[in-house]
Amino acid sequence: MVKFGYTILYVENVEASIEFYENAFGFSRKFITPDNTYGELSTGETTISFASKELAASNLKEGFVESNLADKPFAIEIGFITDDVPGIVQKATTFGAVLVSEPKEKPWGQVVAYIRDLDGFLIEICTEVQQ
């Protein structure tokens, strides 16, 4: 059996990223290494983790494409489910998120909005899909 355990975002400042996600979304800190190169948040079943770009570079000797707000987002997003999409979007932008797309209702009834975090990662804020 395989279980999806975590997603790691390579960021400029692990502590700042963790603080952003704590403040914007109410997640709680699981831990952060003493040297601030890696940290995790409790977010439910799956953990969001952060690694410094320096730590990532030490693991990926041939390099990687860095995320930043000056470039278009990667072809990937992380999704957060809430009953209050407009409220969470407003709160996140208060803490530095950049609005990409205002909340909109999809034909299947789901409300979806898009923001980018401090490092430019794309985040979908949405209601649960009703089946």
Side-chain angles (χ1 to χ4, degrees):
M1 181 183 135
V2 175
K3 179 180 176 183
F4 182 33
Y6 50 86
T7 296
I8 301 175
L9 304 178
Y10 300 158
V11 298
E12 194 65 42
N13 182 314
V14 171
E15 178 73 26
S17 293
I18 285 179
E19 286 178 4
F20 167 77
Y21 280 80
E22 287 173 323
N23 292 326
F25 306 111
F27 297 135
S28 60
R29 187 178 306 215
K30 264 177 132 172
F31 78 91
I32 189 166
T33 58
D35 62 0
N36 289 328
T37 60
Y38 180 81
E40 294 182 351
L41 290 170
S42 296
T43 61
E45 283 266 332
T46 305
T47 299
I48 297 177
S49 304
F50 303 88
S52 69
K53 291 178 182 177
E54 293 79 18
L55 177 60
S58 73
N59 292 328
L60 302 170
K61 298 298 183 191
E62 295 188 25
F64 56 93
V65 177
E66 294 185 23
S67 177
N68 69 64
L69 285 167
D71 296 325
K72 290 182 181 180
F74 298 129
I76 190 170
E77 63 188 59
I78 55 176
F80 298 145
I81 298 170
T82 180
D83 291 334
D84 183 14
V85 174
I88 294 298
V89 168
Q90 191 279 325
K91 184 177 178 184
T93 56
T94 298
F95 287 103
V98 175
L99 181 65
V100 174
S101 176
E102 294 278 353
K104 294 180 183 138
E105 186 170 340
K106 299 295 186 179
W108 52 91
Q110 183 185 34
V111 176
V112 176
Y114 294 94
I115 60 173
R116 293 181 73 187
D117 74 3
L118 305 178
D119 288 281
F121 290 101
L122 186 63
I123 302 170
E124 177 182 336
I125 309 296
C126 61
T127 56
E128 188 106 32
V129 175
Q130 301 300 315
Q131 298 178 346

